[in-house]
Amino acid sequence: MTIKGVLFDFSGTLFRVEPTEAWLRAVLDDLEVPLGEGESARTAAALERAGALPGGAAPVAVPAHLAELWAVRDQSAELHRAAFTGLAREVPLPDPRLYDALYSRHMAPQAWRPYDDAADVLAELRERGVKVGVVSNIGWDLRPVFRSHGLDPYVDTYVLSYEHGIQKPDPRLFALALEALGTDPRDALMVGDDRRADGGAAGLGCAVHFVDHLPADRRPDALRPVLGLVG
């Protein structure tokens, strides 16, 4: 089999969001909300347990009143915002402005870091003539993140769940990306970190390769094997 197109997940695959404590500190500083170092660390830990940072740790437990919303959070921008600000509101914060500001912060390009090998792998795929799509369960436009970090020239199409009202593992989302690339599923590879969501591509006949969702400094070269799979 010759791979002619590669689909990549976004968060935890090509990019990693900043640590929860840095996320909180950036917003505290921006709004000039005073919070001591110890209290800031405790609050960040509580937000992490709540799963309030999109792209960060999953909630330890989703509150019952948010369970239905959580299940469909990536189907629209409104649902995504409501789900994550809802989780954040489970944690007492010293200023009510922080909840919306935290949500806004996670969409900023500077809140994201590409994995160290992402640019090299995408550039090599482009050099080989392999088409690339990004397929993400998300509630906002991630294209500015790719542009800001210089990776946009390597991506042929973006298929984002909130723009289609469909979220992975629904095979229709992968099918939209493959149609945009003009690639048969049997000639495609899906690369992601979520075995359930990203594994949905296998239902179309795509090969699937998984990487671990780790902090960027702990995963320097997990994407490089993709080049060997492409051949």
Side-chain angles (χ1 to χ4, degrees), residues 73-209:
R73 65 193 179 279
D74 295 314
Q75 292 183 15
S76 76
E78 295 76 18
L79 292 170
H80 193 270
R81 177 181 285 273
F84 282 100
T85 57
L87 290 174
R89 290 181 189 281
E90 296 295 302
V91 179
L93 296 180
D95 188 315
R97 297 177 298 164
L98 289 168
Y99 296 105
D100 286 330
L102 284 168
Y103 185 82
S104 296
R105 166 68 188 184
H106 100 273
M107 296 185 285
Q110 61 267 32
W112 294 88
R113 172 182 165 183
Y115 283 96
D116 291 347
D117 54 349
D120 289 346
V121 169
L122 292 175
E124 178 64 22
L125 291 173
R126 175 53 55 95
E127 181 69 20
R128 296 185 191 184
V130 177
K131 295 181 178 180
V132 168
V134 172
V135 184
S136 178
N137 278 353
I138 199 165
W140 50 277
D141 186 3
L142 53 72
R143 295 171 182 87
V145 176
F146 280 77
R147 289 195 292 267
S148 179
H149 291 278
L151 300 189
D152 180 66
Y154 306 125
V155 180
D156 297 289
T157 191
Y158 297 90
V159 175
L160 311 180
S161 61
Y162 84 102
E163 294 181 334
H164 300 279
I166 305 167
Q167 62 188 49
K168 299 181 287 186
D170 192 320
R172 292 177 295 169
L173 203 64
F174 305 103
L176 287 168
L178 293 171
E179 181 180 2
L181 296 181
T183 302
D184 188 286
R186 294 167 295 183
D187 299 325
L189 172 68
M190 174 67 204
V191 182
D193 66 293
D194 188 317
R195 280 161 172 74
R196 177 179 177 273
D198 299 314
L204 293 175
C206 294
V208 181
H209 177 71

Side-chain angles (χ1 to χ4, degrees), residues 5-92:
V6 180
L7 305 179
F8 287 94
D9 174 50
F10 166 56
S11 174
T13 299
L14 291 175
F15 282 83
R16 173 71 186 221
V17 75
E18 64 190 338
T20 309
E21 193 161 355
W23 171 61
L24 174 61
R25 177 49 56 189
V27 174
L28 290 170
D29 290 347
D30 186 54
L31 293 181
E32 299 182 344
V33 175
L35 197 65
E37 186 174 334
E39 186 60 27
S40 176
R42 287 189 289 273
T43 301
L47 287 166
E48 184 157 327
R49 289 192 299 273
L53 172 57
V60 171
V62 177
H65 68 95
L66 293 175
E68 291 186 13
L69 176 61
W70 181 253
V72 296
R73 65 193 179 279
D74 295 314
Q75 292 183 15
S76 76
E78 295 76 18
L79 292 170
H80 193 270
R81 177 181 285 273
F84 282 100
T85 57
L87 290 174
R89 290 181 189 281
E90 296 295 302
V91 179

